[in-house]
Amino acid sequence: MTSHQWRRRHLLSLADLEPWEYDIVLQTSASFAEVLMRPTPKVPTLQGRVVAMLFFETSTRTRNSFELAAKRLSADTLNFSPGTSALHKGETILDTAKTLLAMNTNLLVIRHQYSGVPHQIAQECDRLGTGVGVINAGDGQHEHPTQALLDLFTLCTQNNVKQPSLTGLQGCKVTIVGDIVHSRVARSNIHSLRAAGAEIHLAGPPTLVPKMWQTLGVQVHWQLEPALQSAHFVMALRLQKERMHQHFLPSLREYHREYGLTRERLTLCQPGVKLLHPGPANRGVELTSDIMDDPHLSLVSQQVNNGVAVRMAVLYLLSTAKITD
Ligand code: NCD
């Protein structure tokens, strides 16, 4: 157990997270995972606090997961959707955020299609001296810190359910397959997996997995087979068609033929390999349905389930941080 104390007000990126900070998140998530197994899976920890969800982009998992996490901690939640908001009347994003702050919001959970929006709102909150914490729930192609933290928790709890730690992944081969270049999930996962000392391999077509990503300390493969060879964990990523403004692929069928994950291809991996996908998945494109639904192989439901405990941990840590400034 680490003796450090959490000091961050915002969670915007994993780029500069220290190993002990990952360990605090993992250990706090394990405690909340235990709470979620109780007959009454709720604690009064954030009673009276307000968590506002500002989702400028569509979301099923992340939004519901944060909402449930906040409710399990007994916080009150506010929900903002651009379609039904005053944004349509010309209000700026910052003014929308300020309106929610004026309702004594303590934490803002922000998803936006443009990279950097959560950072901008966090800066404004700091400038105004609000003491409000901002969580990046996915900004453009940049980062998705809580997705990577729940992926990390899912990986680290495979061997040690009760006391997951970052060192548990040392030397494990983790292969990420798909549309890396447009993926905020890949970026955040590379930060956390590097901190954990995992061996990271990226696979996909050259248009979606540029060689220059190797400068991040990962190995890039344009052929799937060597990337899968002896892997302990394989993570499939969705083709982010909404972010492809050029022709990156000849066709989905061809993509599946070259890079689609199948049961046969996974035999190249370590025996007992586990499969992850952040969702939403395109069945028959990045992976076949039978492997996605195989409970011996797929960690997809565990990822979703763990997401609530990990987001409870993040909400709790940011709201109880000892900030000295
Ligand atoms: C991801 C996202 O939105 O970045 N999904 C998620 O949050 N679970 C990945 C994706 O959209 O493909």
Side-chain angles (χ1 to χ4, degrees), residues 57-63 111 137-140 143-144 147 150 182-185 237-240 242-243 277-281 286 311:
E57 209 192 51
T58 55
S59 168
T60 309
R61 286 157 199 77
T62 308
R63 185 185 187 129
R111 167 169 288 196
D139 63 329
E143 279 217 46
H144 193 350
Q147 178 66 44
L150 76 88
H182 297 106
S183 173
R184 52 196 179 205
V185 176
L237 294 179
R238 185 175 65 88
L239 294 175
Q240 314 254 313
E242 71 278 19
R243 300 204 172 92
H277 194 307
E286 58 260 17
R311 290 182 171 114

mmCIF file of all heavy atoms in Angstrom, residues 57-63 111 137-140 143-144 147 150 182-185 237-240 242-243 277-281 286 311, ligand 1:
data_model
loop_
_atom_site.group_PDB
_atom_site.id
_atom_site.type_symbol
_atom_site.label_atom_id
_atom_site.label_comp_id
_atom_site.label_asym_id
_atom_site.label_seq_id
_atom_site.Cartn_x
_atom_site.Cartn_y
_atom_site.Cartn_z
ATOM 1 N N GLU A 57 -20.530 14.885 -27.033
ATOM 2 C CA GLU A 57 -20.415 13.831 -28.044
ATOM 3 C C GLU A 57 -21.175 12.621 -27.517
ATOM 4 O O GLU A 57 -21.291 12.457 -26.304
ATOM 5 C CB GLU A 57 -18.927 13.472 -28.164
ATOM 6 C CG GLU A 57 -18.491 12.983 -29.504
ATOM 7 C CD GLU A 57 -17.087 12.387 -29.429
ATOM 8 O OE1 GLU A 57 -16.819 11.536 -28.562
ATOM 9 O OE2 GLU A 57 -16.276 12.764 -30.257
ATOM 10 N N THR A 58 -21.637 11.763 -28.423
ATOM 11 C CA THR A 58 -22.430 10.617 -27.978
ATOM 12 C C THR A 58 -21.621 9.660 -27.099
ATOM 13 O O THR A 58 -20.403 9.577 -27.225
ATOM 14 C CB THR A 58 -22.927 9.798 -29.188
ATOM 15 O OG1 THR A 58 -21.780 9.458 -29.962
ATOM 16 C CG2 THR A 58 -23.923 10.582 -30.016
ATOM 17 N N SER A 59 -22.329 8.965 -26.224
ATOM 18 C CA SER A 59 -21.669 8.004 -25.347
ATOM 19 C C SER A 59 -22.725 7.116 -24.702
ATOM 20 O O SER A 59 -23.779 7.601 -24.306
ATOM 21 C CB SER A 59 -20.923 8.758 -24.249
ATOM 22 O OG SER A 59 -20.512 7.891 -23.231
ATOM 23 N N THR A 60 -22.451 5.828 -24.631
ATOM 24 C CA THR A 60 -23.332 4.933 -23.886
ATOM 25 C C THR A 60 -22.629 4.539 -22.599
ATOM 26 O O THR A 60 -23.103 4.807 -21.494
ATOM 27 C CB THR A 60 -23.623 3.640 -24.696
ATOM 28 O OG1 THR A 60 -24.062 4.007 -25.978
ATOM 29 C CG2 THR A 60 -24.660 2.774 -24.014
ATOM 30 N N ARG A 61 -21.469 3.896 -22.746
ATOM 31 C CA ARG A 61 -20.775 3.329 -21.592
ATOM 32 C C ARG A 61 -20.263 4.389 -20.631
ATOM 33 O O ARG A 61 -20.533 4.352 -19.441
ATOM 34 C CB ARG A 61 -19.570 2.511 -22.044
ATOM 35 C CG ARG A 61 -19.942 1.220 -22.652
ATOM 36 C CD ARG A 61 -18.841 0.718 -23.561
ATOM 37 N NE ARG A 61 -19.385 -0.274 -24.456
ATOM 38 C CZ ARG A 61 -20.123 -0.001 -25.512
ATOM 39 N NH1 ARG A 61 -20.400 1.246 -25.820
ATOM 40 N NH2 ARG A 61 -20.602 -0.954 -26.262
ATOM 41 N N THR A 62 -19.480 5.330 -21.180
ATOM 42 C CA THR A 62 -18.771 6.272 -20.309
ATOM 43 C C THR A 62 -19.765 7.124 -19.514
ATOM 44 O O THR A 62 -19.622 7.294 -18.305
ATOM 45 C CB THR A 62 -17.827 7.147 -21.158
ATOM 46 O OG1 THR A 62 -17.030 6.274 -21.958
ATOM 47 C CG2 THR A 62 -16.932 7.993 -20.302
ATOM 48 N N ARG A 63 -20.761 7.619 -20.184
ATOM 49 C CA ARG A 63 -21.716 8.501 -19.512
ATOM 50 C C ARG A 63 -22.495 7.755 -18.414
ATOM 51 O O ARG A 63 -22.591 8.212 -17.277
ATOM 52 C CB ARG A 63 -22.694 9.064 -20.543
ATOM 53 C CG ARG A 63 -23.619 10.068 -19.972
ATOM 54 C CD ARG A 63 -24.640 10.486 -21.006
ATOM 55 N NE ARG A 63 -25.397 11.577 -20.472
ATOM 56 C CZ ARG A 63 -25.610 12.722 -21.104
ATOM 57 N NH1 ARG A 63 -25.120 12.929 -22.288
ATOM 58 N NH2 ARG A 63 -26.320 13.660 -20.545
ATOM 59 N N ARG A 111 -16.881 15.359 -21.974
ATOM 60 C CA ARG A 111 -16.501 14.702 -23.237
ATOM 61 C C ARG A 111 -16.752 15.691 -24.365
ATOM 62 O O ARG A 111 -17.811 16.321 -24.412
ATOM 63 C CB ARG A 111 -17.319 13.434 -23.454
ATOM 64 C CG ARG A 111 -17.182 12.926 -24.892
ATOM 65 C CD ARG A 111 -17.731 11.565 -25.097
ATOM 66 N NE ARG A 111 -16.895 10.562 -24.473
ATOM 67 C CZ ARG A 111 -16.973 9.257 -24.757
ATOM 68 N NH1 ARG A 111 -17.843 8.820 -25.639
ATOM 69 N NH2 ARG A 111 -16.190 8.398 -24.150
ATOM 70 N N ALA A 137 -13.474 12.952 -20.055
ATOM 71 C CA ALA A 137 -14.160 11.687 -20.375
ATOM 72 C C ALA A 137 -14.002 11.359 -21.855
ATOM 73 O O ALA A 137 -14.824 10.650 -22.438
ATOM 74 C CB ALA A 137 -15.633 11.791 -19.995
ATOM 75 N N GLY A 138 -12.935 11.891 -22.474
ATOM 76 C CA GLY A 138 -12.663 11.650 -23.895
ATOM 77 C C GLY A 138 -12.701 12.963 -24.650
ATOM 78 O O GLY A 138 -13.763 13.572 -24.744
ATOM 79 N N ASP A 139 -11.525 13.418 -25.144
ATOM 80 C CA ASP A 139 -11.495 14.661 -25.928
ATOM 81 C C ASP A 139 -10.859 14.389 -27.289
ATOM 82 O O ASP A 139 -9.672 14.124 -27.411
ATOM 83 C CB ASP A 139 -10.778 15.799 -25.179
ATOM 84 C CG ASP A 139 -9.303 15.554 -24.886
ATOM 85 O OD1 ASP A 139 -8.918 14.378 -24.706
ATOM 86 O OD2 ASP A 139 -8.539 16.532 -24.844
ATOM 87 N N GLY A 140 -11.699 14.456 -28.316
ATOM 88 C CA GLY A 140 -11.233 14.263 -29.700
ATOM 89 C C GLY A 140 -10.380 13.025 -29.828
ATOM 90 O O GLY A 140 -10.724 11.951 -29.322
ATOM 91 N N GLU A 143 -7.138 12.070 -25.542
ATOM 92 C CA GLU A 143 -7.018 11.094 -24.444
ATOM 93 C C GLU A 143 -8.374 10.690 -23.876
ATOM 94 O O GLU A 143 -9.377 11.410 -24.030
ATOM 95 C CB GLU A 143 -6.142 11.665 -23.323
ATOM 96 C CG GLU A 143 -4.658 11.523 -23.624
ATOM 97 C CD GLU A 143 -3.853 11.221 -22.373
ATOM 98 O OE1 GLU A 143 -4.243 10.355 -21.558
ATOM 99 O OE2 GLU A 143 -2.810 11.877 -22.217
ATOM 100 N N HIS A 144 -8.377 9.551 -23.211
ATOM 101 C CA HIS A 144 -9.567 9.043 -22.532
ATOM 102 C C HIS A 144 -9.053 8.350 -21.257
ATOM 103 O O HIS A 144 -9.032 7.129 -21.154
ATOM 104 C CB HIS A 144 -10.272 8.058 -23.461
ATOM 105 C CG HIS A 144 -11.658 7.682 -23.047
ATOM 106 N ND1 HIS A 144 -12.193 8.017 -21.819
ATOM 107 C CD2 HIS A 144 -12.624 6.978 -23.696
ATOM 108 C CE1 HIS A 144 -13.417 7.535 -21.752
ATOM 109 N NE2 HIS A 144 -13.708 6.910 -22.864
ATOM 110 N N GLN A 147 -10.933 5.466 -19.344
ATOM 111 C CA GLN A 147 -11.018 4.196 -20.075
ATOM 112 C C GLN A 147 -9.713 3.419 -19.886
ATOM 113 O O GLN A 147 -9.723 2.212 -19.615
ATOM 114 C CB GLN A 147 -11.276 4.451 -21.564
ATOM 115 C CG GLN A 147 -11.330 3.181 -22.416
ATOM 116 C CD GLN A 147 -12.524 2.281 -22.095
ATOM 117 O OE1 GLN A 147 -13.636 2.763 -21.932
ATOM 118 N NE2 GLN A 147 -12.293 0.973 -21.984
ATOM 119 N N LEU A 150 -9.565 1.982 -16.391
ATOM 120 C CA LEU A 150 -10.395 0.786 -16.174
ATOM 121 C C LEU A 150 -9.813 -0.408 -16.933
ATOM 122 O O LEU A 150 -9.899 -1.553 -16.462
ATOM 123 C CB LEU A 150 -11.871 1.050 -16.520
ATOM 124 C CG LEU A 150 -12.311 1.120 -17.978
ATOM 125 C CD1 LEU A 150 -12.681 -0.244 -18.532
ATOM 126 C CD2 LEU A 150 -13.526 2.021 -18.093
ATOM 127 N N HIS A 182 -6.496 7.460 -34.736
ATOM 128 C CA HIS A 182 -7.633 8.296 -34.327
ATOM 129 C C HIS A 182 -8.094 8.014 -32.901
ATOM 130 O O HIS A 182 -9.122 8.521 -32.477
ATOM 131 C CB HIS A 182 -8.825 8.051 -35.269
ATOM 132 C CG HIS A 182 -8.551 8.429 -36.679
ATOM 133 N ND1 HIS A 182 -8.334 7.506 -37.677
ATOM 134 C CD2 HIS A 182 -8.424 9.644 -37.255
ATOM 135 C CE1 HIS A 182 -8.105 8.148 -38.819
ATOM 136 N NE2 HIS A 182 -8.148 9.444 -38.589
ATOM 137 N N SER A 183 -7.352 7.154 -32.206
ATOM 138 C CA SER A 183 -7.897 6.646 -30.945
ATOM 139 C C SER A 183 -7.334 7.303 -29.684
ATOM 140 O O SER A 183 -6.159 7.169 -29.362
ATOM 141 C CB SER A 183 -7.650 5.129 -30.863
ATOM 142 O OG SER A 183 -8.022 4.660 -29.597
ATOM 143 N N ARG A 184 -8.221 7.966 -28.966
ATOM 144 C CA ARG A 184 -7.828 8.523 -27.659
ATOM 145 C C ARG A 184 -7.610 7.408 -26.647
ATOM 146 O O ARG A 184 -6.841 7.540 -25.706
ATOM 147 C CB ARG A 184 -8.895 9.502 -27.174
ATOM 148 C CG ARG A 184 -10.308 8.936 -27.172
ATOM 149 C CD ARG A 184 -11.336 10.043 -27.071
ATOM 150 N NE ARG A 184 -12.690 9.547 -27.092
ATOM 151 C CZ ARG A 184 -13.719 10.269 -27.497
ATOM 152 N NH1 ARG A 184 -13.546 11.496 -27.936
ATOM 153 N NH2 ARG A 184 -14.939 9.779 -27.456
ATOM 154 N N VAL A 185 -8.314 6.284 -26.858
ATOM 155 C CA VAL A 185 -8.147 5.138 -25.945
ATOM 156 C C VAL A 185 -6.715 4.590 -26.076
ATOM 157 O O VAL A 185 -6.055 4.295 -25.080
ATOM 158 C CB VAL A 185 -9.177 4.029 -26.263
ATOM 159 C CG1 VAL A 185 -8.944 2.804 -25.396
ATOM 160 C CG2 VAL A 185 -10.597 4.550 -26.071
ATOM 161 N N LEU A 237 -9.552 -2.233 -31.225
ATOM 162 C CA LEU A 237 -10.124 -0.885 -31.235
ATOM 163 C C LEU A 237 -11.020 -0.710 -32.455
ATOM 164 O O LEU A 237 -10.752 -1.261 -33.515
ATOM 165 C CB LEU A 237 -9.020 0.179 -31.273
ATOM 166 C CG LEU A 237 -8.110 0.269 -30.049
ATOM 167 C CD1 LEU A 237 -7.071 1.359 -30.273
ATOM 168 C CD2 LEU A 237 -8.899 0.551 -28.779
ATOM 169 N N ARG A 238 -12.046 0.097 -32.272
ATOM 170 C CA ARG A 238 -13.010 0.357 -33.336
ATOM 171 C C ARG A 238 -12.383 1.236 -34.431
ATOM 172 O O ARG A 238 -11.546 2.095 -34.128
ATOM 173 C CB ARG A 238 -14.197 1.098 -32.715
ATOM 174 C CG ARG A 238 -15.366 1.360 -33.591
ATOM 175 C CD ARG A 238 -16.474 1.988 -32.744
ATOM 176 N NE ARG A 238 -16.096 3.310 -32.241
ATOM 177 C CZ ARG A 238 -16.284 4.440 -32.892
ATOM 178 N NH1 ARG A 238 -16.854 4.434 -34.088
ATOM 179 N NH2 ARG A 238 -15.935 5.595 -32.363
ATOM 180 N N LEU A 239 -12.824 1.021 -35.659
ATOM 181 C CA LEU A 239 -12.437 1.941 -36.737
ATOM 182 C C LEU A 239 -13.260 3.214 -36.535
ATOM 183 O O LEU A 239 -14.493 3.173 -36.596
ATOM 184 C CB LEU A 239 -12.751 1.326 -38.105
ATOM 185 C CG LEU A 239 -11.943 0.089 -38.479
ATOM 186 C CD1 LEU A 239 -12.437 -0.482 -39.801
ATOM 187 C CD2 LEU A 239 -10.455 0.395 -38.562
ATOM 188 N N GLN A 240 -12.596 4.319 -36.256
ATOM 189 C CA GLN A 240 -13.296 5.563 -35.890
ATOM 190 C C GLN A 240 -13.699 6.303 -37.164
ATOM 191 O O GLN A 240 -13.078 7.304 -37.523
ATOM 192 C CB GLN A 240 -12.381 6.426 -35.035
ATOM 193 C CG GLN A 240 -11.667 5.657 -33.932
ATOM 194 C CD GLN A 240 -12.221 5.939 -32.562
ATOM 195 O OE1 GLN A 240 -12.438 7.089 -32.203
ATOM 196 N NE2 GLN A 240 -12.449 4.894 -31.803
ATOM 197 N N GLU A 242 -16.026 8.230 -37.887
ATOM 198 C CA GLU A 242 -16.414 9.638 -37.743
ATOM 199 C C GLU A 242 -15.196 10.566 -37.757
ATOM 200 O O GLU A 242 -15.333 11.783 -37.935
ATOM 201 C CB GLU A 242 -17.246 9.837 -36.457
ATOM 202 C CG GLU A 242 -16.513 9.730 -35.130
ATOM 203 C CD GLU A 242 -16.304 8.294 -34.634
ATOM 204 O OE1 GLU A 242 -16.392 7.355 -35.446
ATOM 205 O OE2 GLU A 242 -16.026 8.123 -33.432
ATOM 206 N N ARG A 243 -13.985 10.007 -37.530
ATOM 207 C CA ARG A 243 -12.783 10.863 -37.528
ATOM 208 C C ARG A 243 -11.945 10.665 -38.790
ATOM 209 O O ARG A 243 -10.867 11.201 -38.906
ATOM 210 C CB ARG A 243 -11.916 10.558 -36.300
ATOM 211 C CG ARG A 243 -12.632 10.790 -35.026
ATOM 212 C CD ARG A 243 -11.745 11.062 -33.845
ATOM 213 N NE ARG A 243 -12.589 11.443 -32.741
ATOM 214 C CZ ARG A 243 -13.082 10.598 -31.848
ATOM 215 N NH1 ARG A 243 -12.751 9.336 -31.888
ATOM 216 N NH2 ARG A 243 -13.888 11.012 -30.897
ATOM 217 N N HIS A 277 -11.912 -4.903 -25.418
ATOM 218 C CA HIS A 277 -12.433 -3.945 -26.404
ATOM 219 C C HIS A 277 -13.148 -2.847 -25.603
ATOM 220 O O HIS A 277 -13.985 -3.162 -24.776
ATOM 221 C CB HIS A 277 -13.413 -4.641 -27.362
ATOM 222 C CG HIS A 277 -13.720 -3.828 -28.589
ATOM 223 N ND1 HIS A 277 -14.166 -2.530 -28.534
ATOM 224 C CD2 HIS A 277 -13.632 -4.129 -29.912
ATOM 225 C CE1 HIS A 277 -14.338 -2.070 -29.771
ATOM 226 N NE2 HIS A 277 -14.016 -3.016 -30.621
ATOM 227 N N PRO A 278 -12.815 -1.563 -25.865
ATOM 228 C CA PRO A 278 -13.464 -0.513 -25.065
ATOM 229 C C PRO A 278 -14.929 -0.318 -25.418
ATOM 230 O O PRO A 278 -15.677 0.308 -24.654
ATOM 231 C CB PRO A 278 -12.653 0.741 -25.412
ATOM 232 C CG PRO A 278 -12.078 0.478 -26.774
ATOM 233 C CD PRO A 278 -11.860 -1.017 -26.842
ATOM 234 N N GLY A 279 -15.339 -0.857 -26.590
ATOM 235 C CA GLY A 279 -16.695 -0.626 -27.064
ATOM 236 C C GLY A 279 -16.821 0.805 -27.553
ATOM 237 O O GLY A 279 -16.021 1.664 -27.153
ATOM 238 N N PRO A 280 -17.777 1.104 -28.389
ATOM 239 C CA PRO A 280 -18.676 0.166 -29.057
ATOM 240 C C PRO A 280 -17.908 -0.643 -30.110
ATOM 241 O O PRO A 280 -17.040 -0.105 -30.785
ATOM 242 C CB PRO A 280 -19.716 1.078 -29.719
ATOM 243 C CG PRO A 280 -19.054 2.419 -29.838
ATOM 244 C CD PRO A 280 -18.022 2.515 -28.767
ATOM 245 N N ALA A 281 -18.266 -1.945 -30.223
ATOM 246 C CA ALA A 281 -17.558 -2.822 -31.157
ATOM 247 C C ALA A 281 -18.341 -2.977 -32.453
ATOM 248 O O ALA A 281 -19.571 -2.968 -32.442
ATOM 249 C CB ALA A 281 -17.365 -4.186 -30.501
ATOM 250 N N GLU A 286 -13.653 -5.525 -36.548
ATOM 251 C CA GLU A 286 -12.398 -5.648 -35.781
ATOM 252 C C GLU A 286 -12.274 -6.995 -35.062
ATOM 253 O O GLU A 286 -11.178 -7.404 -34.702
ATOM 254 C CB GLU A 286 -12.185 -4.476 -34.820
ATOM 255 C CG GLU A 286 -13.260 -4.234 -33.791
ATOM 256 C CD GLU A 286 -14.208 -3.107 -34.173
ATOM 257 O OE1 GLU A 286 -14.240 -2.732 -35.363
ATOM 258 O OE2 GLU A 286 -14.927 -2.615 -33.290
ATOM 259 N N ARG A 311 -14.314 4.580 -11.865
ATOM 260 C CA ARG A 311 -14.791 5.988 -11.916
ATOM 261 C C ARG A 311 -15.210 6.455 -10.520
ATOM 262 O O ARG A 311 -15.060 7.637 -10.190
ATOM 263 C CB ARG A 311 -15.907 6.123 -12.953
ATOM 264 C CG ARG A 311 -15.298 5.954 -14.337
ATOM 265 C CD ARG A 311 -16.225 6.106 -15.476
ATOM 266 N NE ARG A 311 -15.469 6.118 -16.711
ATOM 267 C CZ ARG A 311 -15.535 5.181 -17.668
ATOM 268 N NH1 ARG A 311 -16.370 4.162 -17.553
ATOM 269 N NH2 ARG A 311 -14.793 5.279 -18.739
HETATM 270 C C1 NCD B 1 -14.295 4.908 -26.867
HETATM 271 C C2 NCD B 1 -14.378 6.397 -27.047
HETATM 272 O O1 NCD B 1 -15.438 6.994 -27.008
HETATM 273 O O2 NCD B 1 -13.322 6.969 -27.208
HETATM 274 N N1 NCD B 1 -15.397 4.328 -26.277
HETATM 275 C C3 NCD B 1 -15.615 4.405 -24.942
HETATM 276 O O3 NCD B 1 -15.494 5.431 -24.330
HETATM 277 N N2 NCD B 1 -15.969 3.269 -24.330
HETATM 278 C C4 NCD B 1 -13.848 4.207 -28.090
HETATM 279 C C5 NCD B 1 -14.647 4.359 -29.338
HETATM 280 O O4 NCD B 1 -15.491 5.231 -29.482
HETATM 281 O O5 NCD B 1 -14.392 3.562 -30.242
#
